[in-house]
Amino acid sequence: MQKSVRYNEGHALYLAFLARKEGTKRGFLSKKTAEASRWHEKWFALYQNVLFYFEGEQSCRPAGMYLLEGCSCERTPAPPRAGAGPGGVRDALDKQYYFTVLFGHEGQKPLELRCEEEQDGKEWMEAIHQASYADILIEREVLMQKYIHLVQIVETEKIAANQLRHQLEDQDTEIERLKSEIIALNKTKERMRPYQSNQEDEDPDIKKIKKVQSFMRGWLCRRKWKTIVQDYICSPHAESMRKRNQIVFTMVEAESEYVHQLYILVNGFLRPLRMAASSKKPPISHDDVSSIFLNSETIMFLHEIFHQGLKARIANWPTLILADLFDILLPMLNIYQEFVRNHQYSLQVLANCKQNRDFDKLLKQYEANPACEGRMLETFLTYPMFQIPRYIITLHELLAHTPHEHVERKSLEFAKSKLEELSRVMHDEVSDTENIRKNLAIERMIVEGCDILLDTSQTFIRQGSLIQVPSVERGKLSKVRLGSLSLKKEGERQCFLFTKHFLICTRSSGGKLHLLKTGGVLSLIDCTLIEEPDASDDDSKGSGQVFGHLDFKIVVEPPDAAAFTVVLLAPSRQEKAAWMSDISQCVDNIRCNGLMTVVFEENSKVTVPHMIKSDARLHKDDTDICFSKTLNSCKVPQIRYASVERLLERLTDLRFLSIDFLNTFLHTYRIFTTAAVVLGKLSDIYKRPFTSIPVRSLELFFATSQNNRGEHLVDGKSPRLCRKFSSPPPLAVSRTSSPVRARKLSLTSPLNSKIGALDLTTSSSPTTTTQSPAASPPPHTGQIPLDLSRGLSSPEQSPGSVEENVDNPRVDLCNKLKRSIQKAVLESAPADRAGVESSPAADTTELSPCRSPSTPRHLRYRQPGGFNNTERTCDKEFIIRRTATNRVLNVLRHWVSKHAQDFELNNELKMNVLNLLEEVLRDPDLLPQERKATANILRALSQDDQDDIHLKLEDIIQMTDCMKAECFQSLSAMELAEQITLLDHVIFRSIPYEEFLGQGWMKLDKNERTPYIMKTSQHFNDMSNLVASQIMNYADVSSRANAIEKWVAVADICRCLHNYNGVLEITSALNRSAIYRLKKTWAKVSKQTKALMDKLQKTVSSEGRFKNLRETLKNCNPPAVPYLGMYLTDLAFIEEGTPNFTEEGLVNFSKMRMISHIIREIRQFQQTSYRIDHQPKVTQYLLDKDLIIDEDTLYELSLKIEPRLPA
């Protein structure tokens, strides 16, 4: 029989008493009995590693105890309820906390416990875990392992010592053997010497002299070689070779990275998608896979071979021969042409495939691969687009550090010329890729999707936030206030302008965009922009006072729906002018281009208008111009190189005006000409249009369509009958009745129809008794086209003899355009004036179909006998003058509204423009719409302070001078982040765009050439120094850690406010050596803060030319503050890589286009302001220079706070 275990009961009772009194944890717990599986409530007390339980809290003798050493405690789920009791009881049981104590050896059943509250249960589990001495056991196990390891090391050392001892003994034996051999050799030598010479060969002094001479010769030789080596090391040739080697090493690294990117593209996307296309339910077809990835696999194989060759050359360093590798590579680089040519189509196919949910889900799974590092498939497809320019820049740098007599010089120059020739072919496709990526990024942000953004000819113009004013029936504005919070919150819209459409979206809380159900996508061909409301409109008269003249209207008249009006409110007058200028320019381009396409289009489906296709100067290279293969928004080939004269000629060509060309020209004209030359050209076009415009352009402008494709007009009023035009009207007008003539003329050219020529038709009208029948035209029941190429030029071909000209339907374009202008004038005449002129008395006399206030005086009140030859010539002159005036006003309006800084800094230019506009206003033949547009430009140019609502840095400094300084502790993170964002945006917004030209920030006189860029750079450094200084001001570790956590929170709020410049200011301060080395301080910073810090650093990291920051900026909407250094790096890259002028002296307009693209992106962020209230107490703290500690003092403080550890 097994005896029971004896224990000291008295000592156990004493420990129970101590547990009741001083126990680590005490309280009621329910204990599950092993026999009946029932729960009994006991009072438990834990003391050291012993757990006692009592029948009640007042019991003195324990009912039992458990030794907890080596046990484990874990939570268990609530057991299932067999019976269905009341709902309240069942819920109470389910909320109880169950846990089990496991003793870790067989024979001992686990102790199952439960308590009422979860927090109490967690405390019991933690206390039991500490009482089990698990940590001590683990530590003991670790120490035992270390002890065993040390014992093994000692044994190993003993074995090694024995081996060394044996080796020493063997060496001693060997030494003794060698000594004996030396003695034997010496004896043999003495025996062979016949006699011992006692005479000294030389005098000891001579030996000393020779020894000194030998020493001096060696010293001089070594000194000479040292001088030669040092001179070579410091020579330009050696420096050039070092730089050359560094360039080669960098090229190898870049090639390795590029091959890795291609490897991810092929193995991470292409091959898996090929397998998916072969599955039973393929999410994508093999044709789509081939269209998306093109020949990327072949490109990868080619560059893998090239990379292997580069690595083999590096193995033979310092002899680096690369020319033969490029000789092998060059013939195979033509495969890039196919990739670049089809890249736009590739992205379009990819966007279409993403509409398939299965494919989109599969693609996101591939993009989640860690090797992709968060990059999308579009990013990998774009990498090959920039590889050829990268090779050109590398070869350019190599040649700069390669001597002319170098063996590789000619081969490298040949490779560079071949690559540049290939790049010229590919360059325009590379430029268009950025626009496609922008469109795709916007399309992915819209939840509903937007198919119009998949059109490759859809060019992005601008985006921003506008407030949509709610409207009611008949276009009347509802009574709202400008300062209404509900209007700003509910009416805020994200607007995107493209060359053909205008998108209006709302933004959800998650950042996604939603198109408006009604009026979300506006086709600009159906839109009319109204800049200023009519004075007769009571509602519009009050809107200017309510909204501070910040509102503008877009009248939308879709052909298949009822017309409606969209009223938008801009944050400032400057932004309103910029939006209206861009929208009006797009509308004018669409209408004018569409009209010309209809008039001159041939039977075949051609994309280029006949008049443009017939002019070889618009698409064929010449000595003073060179074109690319890419078409601009007007379907005209883009200019690659051109002389200044040809650029000015394109600017003033009356047939079209591309908005991308206009933006590029006005952004960069300072590089190749002056504002006075541009204004002089515009003035010549206005004053002398026939002598200033090329003869070929005039011939084509008055060209006659050869196609006999006239169609009958549809009777009825056009939906665009009563439009208001804020700019000179388009040439497409509708059928209406003249208030001063009985005979009606109709001129229509629907942009979507296939009409080859415009039809001028007549309709019957009753005659009055006061007019003789011979003077009135005969009635017609049908519509008969007129032959204006022969008619209306002599009395014999009067309107009364229309039937004679039916067989010859040729229509003279100048007469058609003249009628269209007159019709537009008559349609836009005020209602009260029309009422007077359309009275019965006025209908009794037929004067002329062209009588209007804008008709030249010698052509007014023409008798119905028709045009004579002089009048026909004057008619052409009138058309060309009106068209020239329209073009000059368009350019000036764009120049004044979007480039107002040109006139603020150049008062002489401003006065010359004012004089020109005043001269235009004095023109007696000016159309009312032209007069109104001229007045609007004058008003915009005459405003002395256009930025009066914008806060300036000087105003902030002046407001903070009289304020009491605040301390860092009293300011919240939100206040700091908002005011940092406000300051950063105010300084960023003040940079004029001309400072981005010519790399002035890298010159010796940079403070004079680019003062605002240098001010931005200085403010960045001051803010970074302030952050570092504020952290170092604290002496104790906890305060410094708290300061770091607060600044990281400020940086995160800046990120939410899209102030990435502020994020970089703070992160760069925290990465300074004086802050980064504070190990004890960073140890006190929480893990969440460190993780947030890593996230922010990854966002603004300079890796891959700020690829993460660029992607973030593309997906965010203004207002935002980007990091200026990123754009300055891009501009420096463009400036150093390509010259401004070719060897023939032509302007490199492709380079101007790239510079303009960057400047437009910068100005997009400059023009949209933050709605943040200025707090002087915070900005005074941020601008206080006394708080800033210099770099050396910061590092000394850092060493004083945490000294270096001894080595």
Side-chain angles (χ1 to χ4, degrees), residues 49 61 86 116 153 189 261 353 367 398 451 471 610 659 662 745 754 779 842 873 993 1008-1009 1023 1113 1163 1182:
N49 65 336
R61 187 177 181 85
E116 299 296 331
I153 292 174
K189 185 177 180 181
Q261 292 165 355
C353 292
E367 291 175 347
L398 270 178
D451 293 339
S471 57
H610 179 73
I659 189 170
L662 183 58
L745 291 175
K754 296 296 181 182
T873 304
Y993 69 90
E1008 291 75 21
R1009 296 182 63 174
M1023 287 301 305
L1113 287 172
R1163 297 192 70 192
L1182 296 174

Side-chain angles (χ1 to χ4, degrees), residues 205-251:
D205 294 335
I206 294 177
K207 288 184 177 181
K208 292 180 180 177
I209 291 173
K210 289 183 177 180
K211 192 174 183 179
V212 172
Q213 288 177 345
S214 176
F215 173 77
M216 290 299 295
R217 282 194 299 269
W219 180 77
L220 289 173
C221 185
R222 288 192 299 271
R223 182 180 178 186
K224 183 178 180 181
W225 277 109
K226 184 178 180 180
T227 304
I228 292 173
V229 172
Q230 287 180 348
D231 290 344
Y232 177 75
I233 291 175
C234 300
S235 66
H237 181 270
E239 180 66 24
S240 179
M241 289 298 101
R242 283 194 294 271
K243 291 182 179 178
R244 188 176 187 274
N245 291 339
Q246 185 61 39
I247 291 170
V248 174
F249 297 151
T250 305
M251 183 179 70

Side-chain angles (χ1 to χ4, degrees), residues 4 371 524 730 1049 1077 1114 1118 1151:
S4 61
L524 294 180
R1077 62 174 300 276
K1114 286 180 181 179
K1151 175 181 178 180

Side-chain angles (χ1 to χ4, degrees), residues 27 99 142 191 306 314 358 381 391 417 455 503 525 535 603 706 874 936 1015 1042 1103 1109 1121 1174:
F99 58 96
V142 172
R191 192 181 301 115
F306 183 63
I314 292 297
D358 296 335
L381 289 173
Y391 282 148
S417 63
D455 182 7
L503 306 185
I525 198 172
N603 285 325
Q706 302 298 326
C874 293
N936 288 338
K1015 184 184 295 184
N1042 292 335
E1103 180 185 357
L1109 181 56
V1121 185
H1174 174 225

Side-chain angles (χ1 to χ4, degrees), residues 578-590:
W579 274 103
M580 289 194 303
S581 175
D582 286 339
I583 296 174
S584 178
Q585 190 66 52
C586 291
V587 172
D588 290 347
N589 279 340
I590 291 177

Side-chain angles (χ1 to χ4, degrees), residues 1024-1094:
S1024 183
N1025 290 333
L1026 176 65
V1027 174
S1029 302
Q1030 187 62 57
I1031 295 172
M1032 297 302 297
N1033 277 334
Y1034 295 102
D1036 57 310
V1037 177
S1038 299
S1039 299
R1040 287 196 300 275
N1042 292 335
I1044 289 176
E1045 292 183 351
K1046 186 173 181 179
W1047 280 118
V1048 172
V1050 172
D1052 190 44
I1053 298 174
C1054 288
R1055 178 189 63 81
C1056 297
L1057 294 173
H1058 298 166
N1059 179 15
Y1060 301 102
N1061 185 73
V1063 174
L1064 197 54
E1065 288 172 349
I1066 298 173
T1067 55
S1068 62
L1070 298 178
N1071 283 322
R1072 289 191 174 191
S1073 57
I1075 306 295
Y1076 188 77
R1077 62 174 300 276
L1078 300 176
K1079 305 294 184 184
K1080 297 179 181 178
T1081 304
W1082 284 102
K1084 289 283 187 179
V1085 177
S1086 64
K1087 293 182 180 180
Q1088 293 82 356
T1089 301
K1090 292 179 180 178
L1092 181 58
M1093 175 78 174
D1094 294 338

Side-chain angles (χ1 to χ4, degrees), residues 512-797:
K512 290 290 185 180
L513 297 177
H514 297 271
L515 285 171
L516 295 182
K517 295 182 179 179
T518 303
V521 180
L522 306 181
S523 178
L524 294 180
I525 198 172
D526 301 324
C527 296
T528 302
L529 176 66
I530 301 180
E531 299 181 10
E532 298 292 340
D534 282 346
S536 60
D537 191 348
D538 296 336
D539 186 73
S540 299
K541 185 186 299 184
S543 68
Q545 300 175 357
V546 174
F547 299 125
H549 298 284
L550 299 179
D551 59 317
F552 60 94
K553 296 181 182 179
I554 300 177
V555 179
V556 186
E557 297 172 308
D560 54 352
F564 60 92
T565 302
V566 177
V567 183
L568 298 173
L569 196 63
S572 64
R573 292 188 179 182
Q574 183 180 5
E575 287 197 43
K576 173 188 174 183
W579 274 103
M580 289 194 303
S581 175
D582 286 339
I583 296 174
S584 178
Q585 190 66 52
C586 291
V587 172
D588 290 347
N589 279 340
I590 291 177
R591 289 177 178 168
C592 292
N593 294 340
L595 177 66
M596 294 301 179
T597 301
V598 171
V599 174
F600 294 99
E601 192 179 44
E602 297 180 346
N603 285 325
S604 60
K605 294 183 178 179
V606 293
T607 57
V608 182
H610 179 73
M611 58 178 294
I612 295 176
K613 189 176 69 174
S614 302
D615 190 357
R617 292 169 57 88
L618 293 180
H619 55 82
K620 288 189 178 180
D621 296 347
D622 203 347
T623 55
D624 57 351
I625 195 167
C626 180
F627 293 96
S628 66
K629 295 183 179 180
T630 305
L631 305 180
N632 61 17
S633 59
C634 292
K635 302 303 180 184
V636 178
Q638 288 184 347
I639 297 175
R640 181 179 294 150
Y641 310 117
S643 63
V644 178
E645 292 75 14
R646 292 297 294 269
L647 293 176
L648 291 172
E649 178 184 321
R650 176 62 63 89
L651 180 70
T652 54
D653 197 314
L654 302 186
R655 292 166 289 177
F656 57 87
L657 180 59
S658 170
I659 189 170
D660 48 0
F661 173 84
L662 183 58
N663 281 328
T664 301
F665 186 91
L666 292 179
H667 276 138
T668 60
Y669 71 87
R670 287 177 180 79
I671 298 177
F672 50 85
T673 186
T674 61
V677 173
V678 178
L679 184 60
K681 182 66 175 178
L682 294 176
S683 179
D684 288 342
I685 289 294
Y686 170 71
K687 296 177 182 178
R688 295 179 294 276
F690 284 92
T691 59
S692 301
I693 298 173
V695 177
R696 179 61 178 164
S697 179
L698 289 177
E699 291 174 358
L700 290 171
F701 191 81
F702 286 107
T704 303
S705 176
Q706 302 298 326
N707 300 321
N708 185 10
R709 292 178 290 143
E711 295 182 6
H712 297 297
L713 298 175
V714 180
D715 195 11
K717 287 191 175 183
S718 167
R720 302 184 182 91
L721 185 63
C722 301
R723 283 184 175 176
K724 303 173 183 178
F725 291 95
S726 60
S727 60
L731 299 180
V733 292
S734 304
R735 180 176 185 267
T736 185
S737 59
S738 172
V740 294
R741 50 196 165 97
R743 185 167 144 273
K744 298 181 180 179
L745 291 175
S746 176
L747 179 65
T748 63
S749 62
L751 300 181
N752 296 327
S753 65
K754 296 296 181 182
I755 301 176
L758 303 179
D759 296 334
L760 191 62
T761 61
T762 60
S763 60
S764 60
S765 58
T767 57
T768 59
T769 56
T770 59
Q771 187 176 5
S772 62
S776 62
H780 302 289
T781 58
Q783 296 178 339
I784 304 174
L786 296 178
D787 183 6
L788 295 184
S789 62
R790 294 174 53 198
L792 296 182
S793 60
S794 64
E796 288 80 15
Q797 295 175 341

